[in-house]
Amino acid sequence: QMAESLAEGFSREVAPLSPLAIRAVLDQLIHLDAVLAEQVVASSGGRPLFAVHLVSDWLERGLLEPSPEGLRLKAGAEVRVPANLEQLFIVRIELILGEDSAAALLALEVAACESPSFDDGDWIFCCGRLGLEARPQWLDALVNAALLKARDDGYRFAHRMLADCLRDRAIRANRSRQIHEAWAACKQTSIGPLNGDQAESIGRHLIAAGRYE
């Protein structure tokens, strides 16, 4: 998938690229006709990750079709370009998870507060403590869409900016402190003495929750 191809190379915020550079990125990943390519470049604002996820979203929605010159928009297809990367990520998650997306976005905010990696068992514990639903199949669907990566020790957000967007969303909705408190409580339930990394993680979550004592 295109998005997976850029998961490592553009996992962090970068300075806006020139239209020529954005076109070069697209040309390496997918063959678009000239009209569509120019539309994507113009919509990207110099953000390669935005350009790639925009095309991925249109592909998943079945809005593109092949032509001798490359993929193009289907006749009569109506496309809306989200205003920013956060909106684009949310649109993709809503498409992937459908009617579960509202609940899943709340649960993903919890995962993002433990970013970049999180243990799925701990994630389920924290969501339960917060009264949220957490379904492992949501994570699998996002792995298939190249938004998450499965690891031996759990999961990792494929794009740091996705985790950042979800954390910002939690902060704006005043959910962040409760989420960090749940993560601190989860870490404190570990059996046996805490190692340095565990103690540091608990401290980080307590500070983020506003508990400095």
Side-chain angles (χ1 to χ4, degrees), residues 43-60:
S43 301
S44 72
R47 298 161 294 177
L49 198 60
F50 188 98
V52 169
H53 277 284
L54 183 62
V55 177
S56 294
D57 179 58
W58 292 347
L59 281 168
E60 289 165 356

Side-chain angles (χ1 to χ4, degrees), residues 110-133:
V110 177
C113 287
E114 176 64 0
S115 178
S117 301
F118 62 95
D119 176 85
D120 48 322
D122 290 347
W123 171 68
I124 291 171
F125 173 93
C126 289
C127 288
R129 188 178 179 90
L130 294 163
L132 301 176
E133 189 174 6

Side-chain angles (χ1 to χ4, degrees), residues 144-167:
N144 290 336
L147 293 177
L148 289 179
K149 289 188 172 185
R151 298 157 50 97
D152 291 340
D153 58 351
Y155 293 84
R156 182 183 184 92
F157 284 93
H159 308 287
R160 185 175 295 274
M161 283 181 280
L162 171 55
D164 291 344
C165 289
L166 289 165
R167 280 196 301 273

